[in-house]
Amino acid sequence: MIRSKAGSDSHPSIIRRPPPYGLLLTLLLLSWVGIACPFAGASGIVLKDMTRETGITFRHCDGSSGLYRIGESVASGLALLDYDNDGDVDIYFISGAYAEGVKNENVPRNTLYRNDGQWRFTDVTDQAGVGDLGFGLGVAVADYDNDGDQDIYINNWGPNVLYRNNGNGTFTDVTQVAGVANGSRMGAGANFLDMDKDGDLDLFVSSYSAYSLEKHIPSTVNGFPVYPGPGLYEHTFEALFRNNGDGTFTDVSQASGVAFARSPGMGSVCADYDRDGDTDIFVANDTRPNYLFQNDGAGHFEEVGLLAGIAYDLHGQTQGSMGMDLGDYDNDGWLDLYVTSYQNEWASLLHNQRDGFFADVTLASGAGVGTVPNVTWGIGFVDFDNDGLRDLFLACGHVQDKIEHFDDRSTYYQKNILYRNLGNGKFEDVSTLSGDGLQVQLASRGVGFDDLDNDGDVDVVILNPRREPTLLRNDSPAPGHWLQVTLRGTRSNRDGVGAQVRIITPDAAFMDEVHSGRSYQSDFGRRLYFGLGKRTKIDRIEVAWIGGTKETFTVDKVDRHVVLVEGQGSPRQPTTLK
């Protein structure tokens, strides 16, 4: 093991502790099983690489110029949204930026692509006015002013940006008026949520580090320059802004309790994990205990990560946590948690025990096999084959671009991982069996999942630092039936953020919740996706809106997209799928 010494030949976040001996033995056993008993046949899931056919020319910039600034290694996320309300999912890529004084002929910026159908996209950044030149890390999307269209918040390294959607294909920068610039911190995840159930969306903003170039401490391993870890620099507090309902926000970080402690926040997600009718906040912290801020229903939060079992890993140690997502993988009606992590650490599946506690089921479920050599980032619970079981997709790629020079256990470019849900509490790694889209090997970060071609299954968009993105079309050969649901709040927030939806069939039930901001510094899934397998009949749809209203809706057909409007008790005419 390489010893760590800040500013000299290594750094604690570069080469972390080796796995405990018990974990090493488990890994060897699992590796032997994988060799002796290879999977037979295809996985039933096929993801095809469509990147070259899309017309997308965006190339991510992490601002790297040999300085090895910490923020370069953790950038960036992406957002999937329907910015022009035409029924197609568009893509907003976040980019980093060069340090002041560094000259480069290309000026990186965030880029918005309009979905034109048939897997073709057009760059509309200039027309829309969303080409922010800041160093972008995280992004959250939601209709914060309840006017019927999607707005965009960017969590930068430096002042953040809020773009209000004008409803005509253009956006206006309203950051200063809204009061949500949040200083000059190094950003991370961001989320819109209705913390106090008053019908408008508030804003949670995580931050990673108080690093600045003036405080930069060069770090090396065996003479090779490396990116520093968060432990060398001061951390900052989380921030929470209450929506005043008039286009402005008030900073309530201290009063609400989320300014709990200084910690290097990464990905974040907001959800009602305990089903008490309000929205709680999860934060993945890098090398520090993860946070769970439990909401008392009025927008006051208590940090309960340790009590809930999510602060530490199975061995009682902190991890280099990166991204988080919530999904009901076993269809018991409760949201479970997945947390991605650094090399030499398991990415973790945590089962919701329904009593406020999460149990680590990573080893028992097989949902972490193959993650130890990798650094894992973006994550999603996605039913790719519409069989009624949510699978797991992990974006992988190392922090250190020279890792091969001093550690033969890992690589900078890594293949992403796909676990298929077997329906018995277990997952199998089907990455090698699921199409050429899983053979792409880059250093991925943010990831998003949506039905880009409106054909009834979920596709994938991946942001890769210093490279082009990856777009994967779902070509699974025999997918099951499905239902897609969009919520329209009237008394609650218009996007239905925080609402939980349950699909009740004669022999099973499926649930999901509307989130804004999730995974690794990304945003996707305003439309909810439910695989139904062979089921063709839905008894009813139950919606629990934020604010306490509960409604039942009926649909007479599957394989369609329905819009459920609060207060109507029945869906509008379904959107025609292209």
Side-chain angles (χ1 to χ4, degrees):
M1 177 180 176
I2 300 173
R3 296 291 179 183
S4 297
K5 186 176 180 182
S8 179
D9 248 29
S10 140
H11 188 271
S13 77
I14 312 303
I15 304 297
R16 301 178 191 264
R17 63 183 184 278
Y21 291 117
L23 178 56
L24 280 172
L25 244 131
T26 305
L27 282 171
L28 288 171
L29 178 60
L30 288 172
S31 298
W32 180 85
V33 170
I35 293 170
C37 308
F39 300 123
S43 73
I45 301 173
V46 175
L47 300 178
K48 178 178 176 56
D49 185 359
M50 295 291 291
T51 309
R52 293 185 178 180
E53 287 84 351
T54 62
I56 291 175
T57 59
F58 171 81
R59 191 178 181 91
H60 179 266
C61 173
D62 62 3
S64 56
S65 57
L67 298 174
Y68 282 82
R69 301 174 295 164
I70 186 174
E72 298 169 5
S73 63
V74 296
S76 304
L78 63 89
L80 303 182
L81 71 158
D82 183 3
Y83 85 98
D84 52 1
N85 285 331
D86 66 350
D88 293 318
V89 176
D90 311 299
I91 308 174
Y92 188 56
F93 293 110
I94 306 301
S95 182
Y98 292 106
E100 186 176 351
V102 174
K103 295 182 179 179
N104 192 290
E105 61 182 14
N106 297 315
V107 179
R109 65 174 184 174
N110 298 346
T111 306
L112 176 64
Y113 281 92
R114 184 187 67 223
N115 188 339
D116 295 328
Q118 303 299 315
W119 284 89
R120 297 294 297 177
F121 295 81
T122 298
D123 185 340
V124 294
T125 310
D126 289 334
Q127 301 95 303
V130 291
D132 183 49
L133 301 178
F135 196 112
L137 290 163
V139 60
V141 172
D143 185 2
Y144 79 92
D145 52 0
N146 288 327
D147 66 349
D149 43 46
Q150 300 290 293
D151 310 298
I152 302 173
Y153 185 78
I154 306 157
N155 197 357
N156 281 332
W157 176 3
N160 297 339
V161 176
L162 176 61
Y163 287 118
R164 179 174 55 79
N165 194 326
N166 299 320
N168 59 0
T170 69
F171 292 76
T172 299
D173 184 341
V174 295
T175 311
Q176 297 307 314
V177 173
V180 290
N182 200 35
S184 295
R185 307 178 187 184
M186 181 182 292
N191 314 82
F192 285 101
L193 72 156
D194 187 354
M195 66 176 185
D196 48 9
K197 299 183 287 190
D198 64 351
D200 51 34
L201 290 172
D202 312 296
L203 178 62
F204 175 78
V205 185
S206 185
S207 61
Y208 184 58
S209 175
Y211 168 95
S212 67
L213 196 55
E214 294 75 21
K215 301 176 183 177
H216 182 72
I217 302 173
S219 299
T220 61
V221 172
N222 292 356
F224 293 97
V226 293
Y227 286 103
L232 282 184
Y233 303 101
E234 183 183 3
H235 308 315
T236 56
F237 295 108
E238 314 293 8
L240 185 62
F241 297 91
R242 186 187 65 231
N243 191 331
N244 298 323
D246 58 0
T248 68
F249 291 76
T250 298
D251 188 336
V252 294
S253 308
Q254 294 290 339
S256 66
V258 303
F260 166 73
R262 298 175 184 268
S263 210
M266 295 287 267
S268 54
V269 61
C270 300
D272 183 8
Y273 80 99
D274 50 4
R275 286 175 48 175
D276 63 353
D278 52 48
T279 303
D280 312 294
I281 303 172
F282 294 76
V283 183
N285 287 318
D286 188 359
T287 71
R288 301 280 292 176
N290 297 324
Y291 289 159
L292 170 51
F293 293 106
Q294 186 180 51
N295 194 340
D296 70 352
H300 302 102
F301 295 85
E302 179 184 2
E303 205 289 304
V304 296
L306 178 61
L307 297 176
I310 75 156
Y312 300 91
D313 68 9
L314 185 61
H315 307 285
Q317 300 184 41
T318 59
Q319 290 191 335
S321 299
M322 305 296 187
M324 288 180 159
D325 197 26
L326 287 151
D328 182 11
Y329 77 89
D330 57 352
N331 292 328
D332 67 350
W334 294 76
L335 293 171
D336 308 299
L337 178 67
Y338 199 95
V339 186
T340 56
S341 61
Y342 200 79
Q343 180 189 356
N344 289 343
E345 301 168 349
W346 292 99
S348 301
L349 176 62
L350 305 173
H351 182 261
N352 192 330
Q353 300 293 94
R354 312 185 191 187
D355 58 0
F357 185 78
F358 289 84
D360 191 324
V361 295
T362 309
L363 295 181
S365 67
V369 175
T371 60
V372 171
N374 296 346
V375 181
T376 50
W377 303 83
I379 168 67
F381 285 90
V382 183
D383 183 358
F384 285 106
D385 51 2
N386 287 336
D387 64 350
L389 301 168
R390 295 188 181 274
D391 312 299
L392 289 165
F393 187 102
L394 281 67
C396 304
H398 214 285
V399 169
Q400 303 301 335
D401 56 2
K402 300 186 184 303
I403 186 68
E404 291 95 336
H405 294 288
F406 52 84
D407 185 354
D408 60 6
R409 296 170 297 174
S410 192
T411 58
Y412 178 58
Y413 289 144
Q414 300 173 354
K415 294 180 181 179
N416 300 320
I417 297 174
L418 174 61
Y419 296 111
R420 185 170 183 266
N421 190 334
L422 301 180
N424 58 358
K426 297 184 182 300
F427 292 80
E428 66 176 358
D429 184 344
V430 295
S431 307
T432 61
L433 306 174
S434 300
D436 65 359
L438 274 300
Q439 302 313 304
V440 176
Q441 190 164 331
L442 293 169
S444 302
R445 296 292 188 266
V447 64
F449 308 92
D450 262 303
D451 187 357
L452 296 179
D453 49 6
N454 283 331
D455 66 348
D457 52 34
V458 180
D459 311 297
V460 187
V461 183
I462 307 160
L463 185 139
N464 305 303
R466 308 180 186 177
R467 294 290 298 268
E468 71 282 356
T470 306
L471 280 81
L472 306 181
R473 185 179 69 197
N474 191 337
D475 284 349
S476 299
H481 295 289
W482 51 273
L483 189 75
Q484 299 178 4
V485 177
T486 296
L487 299 183
R488 289 286 177 263
T490 53
R491 293 185 292 273
S492 58
N493 69 85
R494 191 179 186 278
D495 279 349
V497 172
Q500 292 194 345
V501 177
R502 286 176 173 75
I503 307 296
I504 311 298
T505 73
D507 68 332
F510 310 94
M511 72 86 65
D512 203 358
E513 180 176 311
V514 182
H515 306 306
S516 169
R518 64 198 301 181
S519 186
Y520 183 71
Q521 301 183 357
S522 295
D523 195 310
F524 57 87
R526 202 67 68 249
R527 187 190 304 181
L528 300 181
Y529 299 93
F530 296 93
L532 300 173
K534 296 181 180 180
R535 301 170 183 85
T536 59
K537 176 178 173 53
I538 294 175
D539 289 341
R540 65 189 182 279
I541 304 176
E542 298 174 349
V543 181
W545 303 88
I546 284 293
T549 302
K550 296 181 180 180
E551 292 186 284
T552 298
F553 298 80
T554 58
V555 294
D556 55 0
K557 294 180 181 178
V558 297
D559 299 334
R560 65 196 308 189
H561 172 208
V562 296
V563 180
L564 307 182
V565 180
E566 184 179 16
Q568 290 192 0
S570 60
R572 291 192 320 206
Q573 291 299 314
T575 301
T576 301
L577 297 180
K578 298 180 180 180

